[in-house]
């Protein structure tokens, strides 16, 4: 069962009510692993296959984006998908990686909307493999395979403040005195995930595995007109779901900041409508 390992460590380390409440929030995530029981689902790096009429994605006034990964939607185990992806077709992920650009300009941040791109290529669309534009050094190509893992809200996720245990405390309140290795409070949820998994944490769907705070809050902060304390802020954060995350990894020569992680997130309504161009990327590092 995909929940077994994380459930076991939660019950061992958390107060009983907090453990059972947190376990009920688990979602399956599709881990993109270098080897695993599932089929090949895509790859990191290499050269993308794009429709002949499509220009290579670029960030105006900065340059072409780096090709990060592709995911074959038909190869994903649909019974474990937490998000409504197309049954067929390919998702291509691009990001402006300043470390791999001439002159080392800054990498894209979440507020740089045009510094990343998600392209969906429908099944049956004619495509050709593209070589990267001048100045772009492609990452090594590494095949990815599927593995289903348990994911859960952690580190400032809005559900930790909204979900209550049987005795009435929120999950955030219920773990205030629970200590992890060098951490306490809601950080303990991330510590539990680290106890049952080893990186890199490449993933489609499920809850994000943040390096710092909630990636949903980070996106809400960019688009919401009010402050974090406004009631509408949590509502805006709840609209965003994880599309994919790509970790730093030596195999593909990818390193995001100080060994960080890229997250592509999208509003639920845009995902349901297939508006992948509305996805936004943020990077977190230690």
């Amino acid at each position: 069962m995909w929940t077994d390992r994380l459930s076991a460590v939660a019950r061992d380390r958390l107060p009983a009510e907090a453990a059972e409440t947190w376990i009920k929030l688990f979602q399956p995530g599709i881990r993109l692993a270098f080897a695993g029981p599932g089929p090949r689902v895509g790859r990191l790096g290499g050269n993308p296959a794009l429709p002949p009429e499509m220009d290579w994605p670029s960030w105006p006034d900065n340059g072409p984006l780096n090709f990060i990964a592709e995911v074959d939607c038909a190869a994903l185990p649909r019974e474990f998908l937490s998000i409504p992806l197309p049954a067929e077709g390919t998702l291509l992920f691009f990001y402006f990686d300043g470390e791999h650009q001439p002159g080392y300009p800054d990498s894209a941040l979440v507020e740089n909307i045009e510094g990343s791109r998600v392209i969906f290529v429908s099944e049956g669309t004619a495509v050709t493999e593209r070589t990267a534009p001048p100045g772009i050094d492609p990452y090594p190509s590494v095949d990815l395979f599927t593995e289903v893992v348990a994911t859960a809200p952690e580190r400032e996720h809005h559900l930790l403040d909204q979900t209550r245990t049987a005795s009435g405390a929120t999950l955030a309140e219920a773990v205030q005195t629970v200590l992890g290795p060098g951490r306490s409070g809601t950080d303990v949820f991330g510590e539990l995930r680290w106890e049952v998994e080893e990186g890199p944490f490449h993933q489609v769907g499920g809850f994000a595995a943040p390096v710092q705070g909630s990636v949903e809050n980070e996106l809400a902060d960019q688009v919401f007109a009010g402050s974090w304390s406004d009631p509408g802020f949590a509502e805006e954060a709840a609209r965003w779901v994880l599309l994919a995350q790509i970790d730093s990894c030596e195999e593909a020569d990818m390193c995001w900041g100080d060994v960080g992680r890229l997250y592509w997130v999208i509003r639920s309504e845009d995902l349901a409508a297939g508006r992948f161009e509305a996805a936004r990327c943020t990077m977190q590092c230690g």
Side-chain angles (χ1 to χ4, degrees):
M1 181 70 174
W2 57 272
T3 60
D4 287 351
R5 293 175 63 199
L6 191 55
S7 295
V9 72
R11 290 182 173 119
D12 179 62
R13 292 277 305 280
L14 298 176
E17 281 191 358
E20 297 308 318
T21 304
W22 191 51
I23 288 169
K24 290 178 182 177
L25 297 177
F26 286 5
Q27 290 183 1
I30 311 302
R31 183 73 74 234
L32 308 177
F34 301 137
R40 180 187 179 279
V41 71
R43 61 188 167 88
L44 299 176
N47 295 320
L50 294 169
E53 70 279 6
M54 182 178 289
D55 293 333
W56 186 283
S58 65
W59 184 4
D61 300 324
N62 286 280
L65 306 184
N66 299 79
F67 174 60
I68 306 301
E70 71 173 26
V71 173
D72 177 5
C73 292
L76 293 168
R78 303 203 65 80
E79 67 273 26
F80 293 108
L81 268 177
S82 66
I83 54 176
L85 292 180
E88 296 180 313
T90 303
L91 287 168
L92 305 173
F93 297 88
F94 292 82
Y95 174 75
F96 189 89
D97 179 8
E99 295 296 321
H100 276 67
Q101 299 281 3
Y104 297 98
D106 291 338
S107 296
L109 300 175
V110 63
E111 60 265 28
N112 305 136
I113 300 173
E114 295 182 286
S116 65
R117 201 77 45 83
V118 177
I119 295 173
F120 176 67
V121 180
S122 301
E123 183 70 16
T125 301
V127 295
T128 57
E129 182 177 307
R130 302 284 191 88
T131 55
I136 294 289
D137 185 16
Y139 306 101
S141 180
V142 180
D143 285 343
L144 298 171
F145 300 83
T146 61
E147 178 184 2
V148 180
V149 299
T151 70
E154 54 177 284
R155 291 184 186 165
E156 301 174 2
H157 194 282
H158 58 89
L159 285 177
L160 301 179
D161 292 316
Q162 297 172 353
T163 307
R164 296 187 178 275
T165 66
S167 60
T170 67
L171 271 173
E173 293 168 340
V175 297
Q176 281 304 307
T177 60
V178 178
L179 301 179
R183 301 180 186 273
S184 61
T186 59
D187 282 347
V188 75
F189 294 119
E191 293 290 344
L192 299 186
R193 175 180 49 80
W194 275 103
E195 288 189 22
V196 301
E197 278 197 85
E198 294 182 357
F201 295 95
H202 311 308
Q203 181 180 307
V204 170
F207 289 103
V211 176
Q212 299 174 339
S214 162
V215 297
E216 295 85 1
N217 287 350
E218 199 168 330
L219 265 296
D221 188 48
Q222 290 300 316
V223 301
F224 185 67
S227 69
W228 284 46
S229 60
D230 292 341
F233 183 87
E235 295 176 6
E236 178 60 43
R239 296 173 67 190
W240 294 86
V241 296
L242 179 70
L243 180 59
Q245 64 186 31
I246 300 296
D247 211 344
S248 294
C249 67
E250 294 183 3
E251 291 82 353
D253 192 26
M254 293 179 177
C255 185
W256 316 120
D258 183 15
V259 196
R261 199 168 293 148
L262 297 181
Y263 307 86
W264 277 271
V265 290
I266 187 170
R267 284 190 175 113
S268 298
E269 60 266 33
D270 289 324
L271 179 57
R275 294 189 291 263
F276 292 103
E277 69 278 7
R280 298 180 67 163
C281 183
T282 186
M283 185 266 283
Q284 293 185 355
C285 60

